[in-house]
Structures are given as structure tokens and as C-alpha cells.
Amino acid sequence: MDYDTGFEKSTRCLKKDIIEEVLLSKCGYKPRNILLFGFGQGGMVAIAAALALETELGGIVSIGGPRPSSLLAKVSSDEKNKTSVIVLSGSSKTLITQSALSEIKKAYQRVEYVKWSRPGD
């Protein structure tokens, strides 16, 4: 099964329908008070949506979700997003490789990585 199937529709929905129209416009939240959390593909959508917003959010927590490959060519290293990112992964069968982590760091200024080293993770 392909984990990176393209995230345009879900990214657009999270960015426009949820963050911009509801949280920012209707509820009056400031961008720095919004945190995105996702597991696997949800983490990939969170990473993609924050890049699409082009503003600093409160943070992103991605458990096992790398940056979507559809976004790899869309960000230059001098345009890094200021949103803080925490990337978490297990020790085996993870999509968070060194190259995947490097791609996240190309897009975001502040990235922390935590890897569990328990057997069976």
C-alpha cells in the first residue's frame, strides 16, 4: 500500500476549511495558538498544511509521518517555515529515515526528532 498518495485535497481542507475559516475567522484564534497533531498520514497532512499556510503556527507533532513527496520540490531552503515541528518514530519499520528527516528540516526552521529504541516499536 502506498502511504504517500497525494495530499492536495486533505491539505486544502485542513488549511482552508478548518484552520482559516473556522479557527482563525470564526473562532478568532491567533495562528500561534494552533497546534497540529497527526499519526502517519495525518502527520504528513499536518506538515503539508502548515507549509501551505505560510504563517507560523504554534507547532506540529508528527508521529511517523514524513513530509509528503508531492511537496519536496515546492520549498526552497531560504523560505523555511517558522512553525516548530516534533517528529516521533519507532525503532523499526518507520518512514522517518535520515533522508525523510532531512526533507522536513529543509522546510522548517525548528525540527526536533525523537526515536523510541524499544524492541518491537
Side-chain angles (χ1 to χ4, degrees):
M1 185 165 111
D2 186 12
Y3 66 92
D4 191 349
T5 58
F7 293 92
E8 289 84 16
K9 187 174 181 181
S10 54
T11 299
R12 185 174 53 253
C13 177
L14 178 58
K15 175 188 176 282
K16 183 178 179 291
D17 299 343
I18 297 172
I19 296 173
E20 292 176 343
E21 292 180 5
V22 175
L23 296 177
L24 297 175
S25 295
K26 289 182 183 175
C27 296
Y29 282 97
K30 302 224 180 297
R32 291 274 301 143
N33 291 334
I34 298 172
L35 300 167
L36 302 178
F37 176 91
F39 178 80
Q41 289 181 327
M44 295 173 79
V45 171
I47 288 169
L51 286 175
L53 281 167
E54 299 175 355
T55 188
E56 182 179 2
L57 297 178
I60 299 169
V61 178
S62 177
I63 300 177
R67 187 171 152 203
S69 61
S70 59
L71 294 177
L72 296 184
K74 294 185 179 180
V75 177
S76 68
S77 60
D78 57 327
E79 299 174 6
K80 288 187 176 186
N81 190 297
K82 294 179 182 178
T83 301
S84 296
V85 180
I86 298 174
V87 181
L88 308 168
S89 77
S91 58
S92 63
K93 297 182 183 177
T94 181
L95 298 177
I96 306 299
T97 61
Q98 285 301 322
S99 63
L101 189 59
S102 174
E103 290 299 332
I104 295 170
K105 289 180 177 182
K106 285 180 188 176
Y108 289 93
Q109 287 182 4
R110 296 180 298 269
V111 178
E112 292 292 327
Y113 174 59
V114 178
K115 179 179 178 179
W116 287 283
S117 53
R118 277 188 11 194
D121 283 343

